[in-house]
């Protein structure tokens, strides 16, 4: 029998799939970046020792393990079949990215009247596009997350046990990809209890992911002597302690990442809200930020530097915070107006993710906000529908915010692409220039630069506790990296500075501009206007140094 609705839905899925792949295709050759090399290293180790899933970490002292190993097994598949090139690995990660968009569409079919717009909106968020060009665990986790919720909701509403089982399996996969996935259990529990009004057989299926997590934690302890849950809690508490950030600053940063990272919802909100109301909200946010700055509650924000006031940052921050506040308003408004199990599910999904990012996770970052991206469009459509504005909007006006957001998201993704590739270029250039050096060659830092210069050989990572430096050795220090420290002036002679251009429009990781997509330790904005060239400094060691550095 000819099913016109089904055929139309299939065509829509093909269009969304094509749009997703088209957006990601230009970035297939993106250099491995930030924590990508860690997951690549895990995958290579697993390929040779499939049951030794944390063996890669054991070479470090102490081993810091913050994610489960499922994504490494995923990476090992294309690595084994096609090699660990950038193209093969990024091509593999297009699969979970496409799955997220498809899952968003399927869920949106049940939750709003414009599922294509909702799925397109998720695709057009800067956080989703940037995250989809990494080789980390986040997008794979989100693909399991979205299908877990989709099947669980169907199973509860349609009383289908098989859907609950499928959802439970997806939850297990989610947890084994990133520990944040365990947040699905209380989320699904609250939704089911509100919908059913009592405990039932469904509760038993939520015990499976908890049991698997506890079992995995015990097996890991037996194999490696590490209790994962305890280690992760200690890691997060340590970072909250050493950064001295307060809850108010973290909340403002979280709103900035939420607003700037999603963005598309704000374009709709501003377009279909009275100008008077928009200006009033904007004025209140600016006034609030000024008061917080006056009381030194945002003291680590890069408001001013040696060159005076950082105007691009000062201008961007209130816009991003306004965008974050508007999304919170849309979320709360939906719950107040609907008062049903679906609105509760969406509310807890958003608020739970935000609370985890701001108050529990080791830092505020785009990767932790990522689980909210499928709801950017769903919430906007529901809001416009509740306001009786959706039927009054022309098709051109409905798509305009999507296209604007997509263009911005692509520019942000290109900026991150450029930043990642600059580290690869730096590694090759500096290696070629220093290959004839008679002394030892040491580097500070991590991330992509370390991965690529290590692959070229002849270099070691400087250990501050046991440096083993000899007179005549050279040390290479990247300016925009992690785990770097300046050398004592009497110990090293500055020899050369290398600079590499990156995207001139935006920055995703730039301490001077306040951009910290991967960690707010670099800045409270997910991306920032402007750029600073990437710099690398080469020093020559003037005397032997074998005792620990005391910083």
């Amino acid at each position: 029998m000819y099913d016109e609705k089904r055929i139309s839905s299939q065509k829509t899925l093909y269009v969304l799939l094509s749009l997703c792949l088209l957006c990601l295709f230009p970035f297939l050759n993106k250099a491995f970046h930030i924590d990508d090399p860690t997951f690549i290293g895990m995958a290579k180790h697993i390929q040779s020792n499939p049951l030794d899933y944390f063996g890669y970490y054991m070479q470090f002292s102490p081993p810091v393990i913050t994610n489960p190993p499922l994504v490494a097994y995923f990476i090992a598949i294309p690595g084994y079949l096609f090699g660990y090139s950038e193209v093969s690995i990024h091509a593999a990660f297009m699969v979970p990215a496409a799955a997220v968009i498809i899952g968003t569409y399927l869920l949106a079919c049940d939750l709003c009247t414009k599922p294509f717009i909702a799925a397109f909106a998720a695709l057009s968020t800067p956080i989703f596009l940037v995250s989809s060009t990494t080789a980390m665990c986040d997008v794979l986790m989100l693909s399991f997350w979205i299908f877990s919720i989709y099947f669980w909701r169907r199973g509860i509403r349609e009383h289908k046990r098989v859907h609950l089982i499928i959802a439970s399996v997806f939850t297990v996969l989610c947890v084994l990809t990133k520990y944040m996935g365990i947040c699905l259990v209380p989320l699904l529990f609250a939704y089911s209890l509100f919908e059913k009004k009592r405990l039932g057989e469904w509760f038993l299926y939520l015990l499976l992911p908890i049991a698997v997590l506890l079992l995995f934690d015990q097996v890991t302890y037996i194999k490696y002597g590490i209790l994962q849950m305890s280690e992760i809690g200690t890691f997060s508490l340590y970072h909250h302690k050493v950064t001295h950030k307060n809850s108010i600053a973290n909340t403002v940063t979280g709103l900035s990442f939420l607003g700037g990272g999603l963005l598309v919802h704000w374009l709709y909100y501003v377009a279909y809200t009275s100008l008077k109301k928009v200006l009033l909200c904007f004025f209140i946010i600016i006034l609030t930020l000024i008061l917080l700055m006056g009381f030194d509650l945002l003291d680590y924000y890069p408001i001013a530097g040696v060159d005076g006031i950082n105007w691009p940052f000062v201008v961007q921050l209130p816009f991003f915070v306004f965008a974050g506040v508007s999304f919170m308003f849309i979320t709360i408004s939906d719950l107040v107006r609907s008062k049903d199990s679906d609105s509760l599910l969406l509310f807890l999904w958003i608020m739970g993710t935000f609370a985890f990012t701001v108050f529990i996770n080791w830092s505020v970052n785009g990767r932790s906000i990522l689980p909210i991206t499928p709801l950017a469009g769903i919430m906007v459509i529901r809001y416009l529908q509740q306001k009786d504005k959706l039927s009054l909007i022309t098709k051109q006006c409905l798509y305009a915010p999507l296209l604007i957001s997509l263009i911005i998201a692509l520019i942000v993704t290109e900026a991150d692409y450029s930043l990642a590739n600059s580290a690869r270029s730096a590694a090759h250039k500096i290696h070629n220039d220093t290959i004839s050096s008679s002394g030892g060659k040491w580097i500070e830092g991590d991330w992509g630069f370390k991965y690529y210069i290590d692959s070229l050989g002849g270099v070691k990572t400087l250990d501050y506790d046991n440096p083993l430096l000899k007179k005549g050795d050279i040390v290479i220090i990247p300016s925009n990296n992690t785990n770097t420290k300046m050398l004592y002036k009497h110990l090293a002679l500055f020899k050369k500075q290398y600079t590499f251009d990156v995207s001139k429009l935006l920055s995703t990781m730039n301490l001077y501009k306040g951009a910290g997509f991967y960690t707010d330790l670099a800045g409270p904005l997910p991306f920032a206007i402007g750029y600073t060239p990437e710099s690398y400094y080469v020093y020559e060691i003037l005397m032997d140094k074998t005792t620990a550095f005391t910083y």
Side-chain angles (χ1 to χ4, degrees):
M1 183 178 177
Y2 181 77
D3 190 339
E4 185 176 347
K5 186 176 180 181
R6 181 179 178 183
I7 296 298
S8 176
S9 181
Q10 289 176 347
K11 288 181 178 179
T12 301
L13 287 174
Y14 289 141
V15 171
L16 287 169
L17 180 63
S18 300
L19 284 171
C20 180
L21 299 182
L22 188 63
C23 288
L24 296 177
F25 182 79
F27 308 107
L28 279 180
N29 194 40
K30 179 182 179 181
F32 295 131
H33 189 37
I34 309 294
D35 289 340
D36 291 352
T38 298
F39 292 102
I40 300 295
M42 284 181 66
K44 289 180 178 179
H45 183 85
I46 284 171
Q47 185 178 324
S48 57
N49 300 278
L51 298 180
D52 188 20
Y53 49 86
F54 283 152
Y56 170 79
Y57 286 104
M58 294 301 110
Q59 63 182 302
F60 305 109
S61 182
V64 180
I65 307 172
T66 56
N67 289 294
L70 187 59
V71 70
Y73 284 97
F74 173 79
I75 293 171
I77 297 171
Y80 174 76
L81 295 174
F82 308 108
Y84 289 90
S85 70
E86 293 86 348
V87 172
S88 64
I89 301 303
H90 286 309
F93 273 92
M94 292 171 77
V95 176
V100 170
I101 300 304
I102 292 171
T104 300
Y105 173 79
L106 295 175
L107 188 62
C109 286
D110 294 338
L111 296 175
C112 67
T113 58
K114 300 285 185 182
F116 176 78
I117 297 292
F120 196 163
L123 175 63
S124 67
T125 59
I127 281 182
F128 176 77
L129 275 188
V130 174
S131 298
S132 296
T133 64
T134 68
M136 292 181 259
C137 57
D138 310 285
V139 174
L140 182 62
M141 183 216 75
L142 183 56
S143 66
F144 295 138
W145 177 292
I146 193 80
F147 277 102
S148 173
I149 292 177
Y150 171 74
F151 279 106
W152 186 268
R153 183 183 173 280
R154 283 294 181 95
I156 290 295
R157 285 181 170 266
E158 300 174 10
H159 311 286
K160 290 186 177 180
R161 184 179 300 166
V162 66
H163 283 178
L164 296 177
I165 294 173
I166 293 171
S168 184
V169 171
F170 273 120
T171 304
V172 169
L173 295 174
C174 189
V175 171
L176 294 179
T177 304
K178 190 174 182 178
Y179 292 120
M180 183 184 178
I182 197 63
C183 296
L184 275 171
V185 174
L187 174 64
L188 298 178
F189 175 81
Y191 166 77
S192 305
L193 192 61
F194 190 89
E195 175 69 21
K196 294 291 188 180
K197 309 303 181 187
R198 60 183 178 83
L199 290 177
E201 180 186 335
W202 55 266
F203 176 72
L204 299 176
Y205 300 109
L206 291 177
L207 299 179
L208 178 62
I210 297 174
V212 169
L213 180 60
L214 293 175
L215 177 62
F216 176 74
D217 199 38
Q218 286 302 308
V219 171
T220 300
Y221 180 71
I222 293 169
K223 286 176 68 68
Y224 304 104
I226 297 172
L227 285 172
Q228 275 280 270
M229 298 302 102
S230 175
E231 289 287 325
I232 292 170
T234 302
F235 180 79
S236 182
L237 287 172
Y238 169 78
H239 277 275
H240 279 283
K241 183 178 179 180
V242 298
T243 54
H244 304 291
K245 293 184 294 183
N246 59 76
S247 297
I248 293 176
N250 258 21
T251 302
V252 174
T253 301
L255 290 170
S256 169
F257 271 75
L258 180 66
L262 300 185
L263 197 62
V264 62
H265 72 280
W266 185 68
L267 297 175
Y268 279 106
Y269 181 80
V270 171
Y272 301 108
T273 302
S274 68
L275 181 60
K276 182 179 179 180
K277 186 175 181 180
V278 169
L279 292 176
L280 178 61
C281 291
F282 194 58
F283 174 77
I284 292 173
I285 286 169
I286 291 175
L287 183 61
T288 303
L289 291 174
I290 291 173
L291 289 174
L292 293 176
M293 292 173 187
F295 286 103
D296 287 332
L297 293 172
L298 306 178
D299 55 343
Y300 75 97
Y301 280 22
I303 298 165
V306 293
D307 298 324
I309 296 177
N310 185 358
W311 285 112
F313 174 83
V314 170
V315 171
Q316 274 184 272
L317 180 64
F319 276 102
F320 282 1
V321 172
F322 181 20
V325 170
S326 69
F327 191 74
M328 289 297 188
F329 171 76
I330 290 172
T331 302
I332 296 170
S333 174
D334 183 79
L335 180 66
V336 171
R337 288 174 178 272
S338 299
K339 297 185 181 70
D340 59 13
S341 56
D342 283 338
S343 62
L344 178 68
L345 173 69
L346 298 173
F347 176 83
L348 293 177
W349 181 343
I350 292 165
M351 294 301 181
T353 303
F354 184 80
F356 175 88
T357 301
V358 170
F359 302 114
I360 299 175
N361 199 40
W362 71 276
S363 81
V364 179
N365 55 67
R367 295 166 59 191
S368 296
I369 292 289
L370 181 68
I372 298 178
T373 55
L375 302 184
I378 291 174
M379 297 307 298
V380 162
I381 297 300
R382 287 170 66 92
Y383 176 74
L384 293 176
Q385 188 175 341
Q386 290 166 356
K387 288 283 193 175
D388 295 324
K389 293 183 178 181
L390 198 58
S391 59
L392 304 176
I393 303 173
T394 64
K395 182 175 290 188
Q396 292 81 358
C397 293
L398 194 60
Y399 280 91
L402 288 176
L403 296 177
I404 294 171
S405 181
L406 180 61
I407 290 170
I408 294 173
L410 287 170
I411 294 173
V412 175
T413 307
E414 193 280 329
D416 197 60
Y417 173 83
S418 174
L419 177 63
N421 288 354
S422 72
R424 181 172 57 194
S425 299
H428 284 87
K429 173 64 176 174
I430 296 172
H431 171 79
N432 292 336
D433 286 358
T434 59
I435 196 169
S436 59
S437 174
S438 58
K441 188 162 58 176
W442 304 84
I443 63 165
E444 294 187 26
D446 203 339
W447 299 344
F449 175 70
K450 173 176 165 54
Y451 175 82
Y452 286 105
I453 204 164
D454 277 349
S455 69
L456 298 171
V459 66
K460 298 178 182 178
T461 301
L462 181 60
D463 183 348
Y464 303 113
D465 295 323
N466 186 29
L468 303 177
L469 291 170
K470 300 294 183 182
K471 182 179 179 180
D473 288 356
I474 63 170
V475 178
I476 306 158
I477 306 177
S479 63
N480 186 17
N481 210 292
T482 186
N483 300 329
T484 61
K485 298 178 180 179
M486 296 305 297
L487 298 172
Y488 299 143
K489 289 183 179 180
H490 69 276
L491 177 65
L493 175 68
F494 173 73
K495 298 292 289 184
K496 188 173 183 179
Q497 176 180 347
Y498 290 85
T499 58
F500 297 86
D501 268 342
V502 292
S503 173
K504 292 180 172 57
L505 291 176
L506 298 172
S507 300
T508 53
M509 286 291 288
N510 190 308
L511 188 65
Y512 306 105
K513 301 298 180 182
F517 183 92
Y518 295 99
T519 169
D520 70 314
L521 297 179
L525 304 176
F527 58 90
I529 296 171
Y531 86 111
T532 304
E534 292 293 292
S535 295
Y536 295 78
Y537 306 102
V538 179
Y539 293 85
E540 181 182 340
I541 299 301
L542 300 177
M543 62 182 73
D544 292 356
K545 172 70 174 174
T546 56
T547 57
F549 286 86
T550 55
Y551 290 99

